[in-house]
Amino acid sequence: MFDPTELQYLNPNIDRRIAIVTGGNSGIGFYTALHLYLHGYIVYIAGRNKTRVTKAIVEMKEVANVKTLQYSPDQVTERYNGELFFLEIDLLDLNSVIRAAEIFKSLESSLHILVNNAGVMALPFSLTKDGFEIQLQTNYISPFLFTTRLLPLLEKTAATPNKIAGSTEPIQPRIVYVSSIGHHFAFRYFNMNSHFQYYPNIMFTWFRYGIAKTAAIHFMKMLALRNPKILCLSVHPGFVMNTNLFAYWTRLPIIGILFWCLFQIFGYIFGVSNEEGAMASLKCCLDPSLNVEQDNGKYFATGGVEASPSRVARNMDYAARTWIWTLKELGNREISI
Ligand SMILES: NC(=O)c1ccc[n+]([C@@H]2O[C@H](COP(=O)([O-])OP(=O)(O)OC[C@H]3O[C@@H](n4cnc5c(N)ncnc54)[C@H](OP(=O)(O)O)[C@@H]3O)[C@@H](O)[C@H]2O)c1
């Protein structure tokens, strides 16, 4: 399992590096944001609910205080916490996504790490007000739009020499997309127009989730080709059963209890903790051995182990088609990239 505590800690007063973690107010995103904060990053937690994010920021600072109490005297002098901010974004509303990127660009002149972590899973079929299937928009379309709107800033960061770190080499910015092993539900003959709006939802919802998570892996692979100075990676965090991702199923009347028990048993046998679930993302964010020359477009699984995504996800023909499909769909909504 990747261990971020073995890595270098930044002093944000000297080396100010910025990260965004979408959905950083709960589950895997919470621990991703926490460890970046502990490593001295200025972290923007992008979420749709200010109260929930503000509460998470308070909790994060408390957890950070407990962790820093365990530092040795040497570590206390060498390790610095960063800062935590709220950035409003609702992935169910493309205007909100565009606004969030604009607000961020007005606040910061660089971006070193973008973690597209926010997501939903296995929801019943519904369309957003932008006319996309709910899982597709939350898990893929909105992260695509958010990322492409932030690309100029990431490119600028990639072109700026990092004199502080004692080198003229720029820091390679990183984009991490939290996909899922569930991307395997997108079978052969992958088609972005497939809605799988069939009964029963308990089965077809997984195909919709699979398409969204596969499309986002395609996106990372295409970005890696198009923007070779930015490290673009996708991850499967592991089975993390105590997050809010399963809330739709566990909150169903009566049968929800059964789902809860099932998920707990599954998690006990195969699962990892919320913090362990963040390690794949954190490896992609922080591991200095990863670089654009060798690792761009790669996929990492639980604990940060390099893995191979599905045949469909790694097929560059499909990836190119997904890219074109997305530009066309956004264009139909008068959004240009
Ligand atoms: N848990 C697992 O076993 C597992 C396995 C594979 C992949 N993943 C992936 O890991 C990521 C994190 O999931 P998690 O398990 O940590 O679940 P989680 O606790 O439910 O976290 C999801 C986060 O996404 C945010 N979010 C959802 N819809 C949003 C929207 N419309 N706008 C803005 N933010 C939104 C949520 O915000 P709110 O609090 O406002 O709802 C929450 O902060 C997801 O992409 C998921 O697909 C998880």
Side-chain angles (χ1 to χ4, degrees):
M1 178 82 54
F2 175 73
D3 180 4
T5 60
E6 289 172 357
L7 300 179
Q8 187 206 350
Y9 285 68
L10 300 173
N11 179 348
N13 299 317
I14 300 171
D15 192 356
R16 192 172 186 277
R17 294 198 206 172
I18 322 288
I20 300 178
V21 181
T22 67
N25 61 293
S26 75
I28 297 159
F30 179 94
Y31 283 95
T32 308
L34 169 70
H35 280 280
L36 291 174
Y37 167 67
L38 282 167
H39 273 78
Y41 277 83
I42 315 302
V43 187
Y44 284 79
I45 299 179
R48 59 182 155 177
N49 183 306
K50 188 172 184 180
T51 312
R52 279 203 287 270
V53 175
T54 310
K55 189 165 166 272
I57 288 178
V58 172
E59 268 175 46
M60 229 172 262
K61 288 183 178 169
E62 284 168 7
V63 180
N65 283 342
V66 173
K67 288 197 184 268
T68 51
L69 284 177
Q70 292 153 12
Y71 287 174
S72 68
D74 279 354
Q75 288 170 340
V76 169
T77 57
E78 287 165 2
R79 296 183 176 185
Y80 304 86
N81 291 343
E83 289 174 57
L84 293 165
F85 296 110
F86 166 62
L87 179 68
E88 185 169 4
I89 190 168
D90 183 357
L91 302 174
L92 290 176
D93 176 357
L94 296 180
N95 284 330
S96 162
V97 174
I98 293 170
R99 207 163 38 242
E102 291 311 312
I103 290 172
F104 181 79
K105 285 192 274 188
S106 72
L107 294 171
E108 298 290 349
S109 55
S110 58
L111 175 59
H112 300 85
I113 297 175
L114 168 61
V115 189
N116 283 308
N117 162 84
V120 290
M121 186 189 76
L123 298 183
F125 183 90
S126 71
L127 291 178
T128 66
K129 67 177 183 182
D130 299 299
F132 289 106
E133 189 273 321
I134 186 167
Q135 295 192 75
L136 188 70
Q137 177 157 338
T138 313
N139 293 334
Y140 169 59
I141 300 286
S142 288
F144 180 103
L145 181 59
F146 191 48
T147 304
T148 47
R149 289 295 160 118
L150 292 171
L151 267 183
L153 210 51
L154 289 154
E155 279 162 359
K156 185 177 155 207
T157 308
T160 310
N162 176 32
K163 294 186 192 116
I164 302 147
S167 138
T168 49
E169 283 294 303
I171 298 161
Q172 295 176 353
R174 301 181 180 203
I175 303 171
V176 181
Y177 175 73
V178 184
S179 181
S180 166
I181 196 166
H183 81 269
H184 284 273
F185 283 108
F187 292 103
R188 291 182 68 175
Y189 313 117
F190 177 78
N191 182 349
M192 288 298 288
N193 289 314
S194 308
H195 264 159
F196 289 110
Q197 190 189 351
Y198 308 121
Y199 185 82
N201 172 59
I202 196 166
M203 179 169 150
F204 289 103
T205 188
W206 290 105
F207 297 158
R208 298 193 293 270
Y209 183 68
I211 285 181
K213 291 294 186 183
T214 298
I217 297 175
H218 286 160
F219 176 42
M220 286 299 103
K221 289 192 173 290
M222 287 299 292
L223 267 191
L225 271 184
R226 297 170 63 97
N227 297 78
K229 291 194 174 154
I230 301 172
L231 185 57
C232 304
L233 305 164
S234 351
V235 306
H236 163 61
F239 296 115
V240 192
M241 307 313 278
N242 284 320
T243 70
N244 294 335
L245 200 66
F246 306 86
Y248 168 76
W249 294 96
T250 54
R251 283 179 197 159
L252 286 174
I254 304 167
I255 199 169
I257 294 273
L258 278 178
F259 278 117
W260 186 85
C261 294
L262 200 70
F263 293 150
Q264 291 306 310
I265 295 166
F266 186 85
Y268 182 75
I269 301 170
F270 300 108
V272 293
S273 69
N274 291 9
E275 190 163 17
E276 287 167 337
M279 292 306 150
S281 298
L282 286 164
K283 180 188 169 86
C284 295
C285 291
L286 296 174
D287 189 342
S289 71
L290 297 177
N291 58 66
V292 288
E293 289 80 15
Q294 286 168 15
D295 303 299
N296 225 349
K298 281 186 179 173
Y299 173 81
F300 291 83
T302 319
V305 178
E306 191 181 330
S308 181
S310 72
R311 221 178 249 239
V312 173
R314 57 178 194 266
N315 181 313
M316 290 310 289
D317 279 344
Y318 280 132
R321 274 188 249 168
T322 301
W323 179 276
I324 293 163
W325 180 92
T326 312
L327 294 191
K328 186 167 158 273
E329 288 296 323
L330 288 173
N332 289 344
R333 289 155 180 85
E334 293 177 6
I335 296 173
S336 59
I337 297 301

